[in-house]
Amino acid sequence: MNATLPITAALFAMLCTRLDASPLAEAKVSRVVNEVTVAAPQAKPRRAAEQQVVGAENAVRVGPRSRAELLFPDHTLARLGAETDLGFRRGTRELALAQGTLLLEVPGFRGGARVRTGSLTAVCGAATILVEHLPSQSLKIVVLAGNVRVCVAGFLGDSIVLSPGKMLITTPEVKRLPDPVDVDLSTLVKTSALIEAAKFSAGAAPLASLPRIEREIARQAGSFKSARLIPTNLAIVGSGTSVVIPGQPAAGGNSVVVDSENDAAIPKSAGIAAHRSPAGTHDDGNPLPQP
């Protein structure tokens, strides 16, 4: 019997339930594009203004064709796409995405963060991720930089670590996690209104993690050249979870593309690739550990 299993399980449980660091107690609304409101518990929503400070337990709600940016005191950054409802809990580093699209950038040495959305919790350290939650339809998580562990709420044994360029696409109430797929980071960065500063808002600053993301794009380009990644013509139309070949009827399966309408975080043009790893290696080419 593996004597380390109880310790490993305990550490995993800690990772998926709490993060010991200064809580995300408040955020400054650093960008407002069109209709953005802030709602305190049991209070009528009020229109948000730039430089406004939003306290814990409040919800930030973004209307159609609108966007918002929140900056926390530790420089954790959250960009919200159209029709998004985001809250954060007092005394924690947890964000709750009820619906919509979120770009979360967590700097190093800040204690990480977690995003709870649908039945999933995404736990990350220094990382940049995109999350899209369309209630009763689909849930997507893309990693741009760093590593993210995705856990199914209430299922200790079901989790997956997503590395840069990986995407998980499933339904909001998923009970078992599907395999991730590879997304074309270069195209994603150029086309997403939440990543590209000029598309997000006039005068918005580039992401602090952009150099890390660019390194991942270069690494992915090398994988294309070596045929470890193979371009495909698969797509997901709109907010669905069925693979289609453009111009042909849908088939079952997973892909990584969503509709770009309403400034979705993950635009239709993102593109995907099939992954080909040599036998006996991880996706990064490192030898598999021996049992």
Side-chain angles (χ1 to χ4, degrees):
M1 179 180 293
N2 189 342
T4 66
L5 182 59
I7 297 175
T8 302
L11 290 175
F12 175 79
M14 290 173 60
L15 178 63
C16 285
T17 57
R18 65 192 290 262
L19 291 168
D20 291 322
S22 299
L24 299 174
E26 62 181 28
K28 178 178 69 176
V29 181
S30 50
R31 294 281 169 180
V32 171
V33 180
N34 298 331
E35 180 187 345
V36 180
T37 60
V38 176
Q42 300 179 344
K44 184 178 180 180
R46 296 187 176 184
R47 198 167 186 96
E50 291 189 1
Q51 307 306 311
Q52 176 180 348
V53 175
V54 179
E57 308 299 339
N58 290 336
V60 179
R61 294 168 182 163
V62 183
R65 302 294 181 182
S66 303
R67 291 183 290 281
E69 182 180 85
L70 304 178
L71 183 62
F72 293 87
D74 67 356
H75 299 291
T76 293
L77 180 76
R79 286 180 176 173
L80 285 58
E83 300 182 52
T84 294
D85 190 336
L86 181 75
F88 49 104
R89 293 175 55 195
R90 187 179 305 278
T92 73
R93 295 186 62 84
E94 178 180 298
L95 304 179
L97 181 66
Q99 68 174 32
T101 57
L102 166 70
L103 180 144
L104 180 66
E105 180 183 66
V106 183
F109 310 107
R110 301 298 183 184
R114 63 183 180 182
V115 179
R116 190 179 296 275
T117 184
S119 63
L120 299 184
T121 299
V123 184
C124 60
T128 303
I129 65 173
L130 284 167
V131 183
E132 181 187 70
H133 180 185
L134 302 180
S136 303
Q137 297 183 54
S138 64
L139 197 159
K140 303 175 178 72
I141 300 174
V142 181
V143 180
L144 303 172
N147 293 295
V148 176
R149 180 173 292 277
V150 179
C151 316
V152 178
F155 290 84
L156 179 61
D158 200 18
S159 74
I160 190 170
V161 175
L162 301 179
S163 56
K166 293 291 186 180
M167 176 173 180
L168 186 71
I169 174 171
T170 184
T171 56
E173 303 306 321
V174 61
K175 302 299 182 184
R176 291 289 182 268
L177 295 174
D179 291 333
V181 292
D182 294 273
V183 63
D184 185 340
L185 288 177
S186 177
T187 303
L188 180 60
V189 168
K190 293 175 183 176
T191 55
S192 173
L194 296 189
I195 302 174
E196 177 60 45
K199 288 183 173 65
F200 179 75
S201 174
L207 295 175
S209 60
L210 190 57
R212 296 181 66 196
I213 298 172
E214 290 173 341
R215 287 195 294 271
E216 296 300 338
I217 290 173
R219 179 192 59 79
Q220 195 175 66
S223 294
F224 278 112
K225 290 180 180 178
S226 65
R228 286 178 59 80
L229 284 177
I230 305 169
T232 74
N233 63 343
L234 301 179
I236 285 181
V237 178
S239 59
T241 56
S242 296
V243 163
V244 300
I245 298 175
Q248 296 188 17
N254 284 341
S255 183
V256 299
V257 185
V258 300
D259 199 341
S260 59
E261 186 177 0
N262 292 330
D263 297 323
I266 309 159
K268 182 181 292 186
S269 58
I272 68 169
H275 196 96
R276 183 170 69 189
S277 296
T281 67
H282 284 304
D283 286 349
D284 59 6
N286 294 326
L288 291 169
Q290 296 301 312

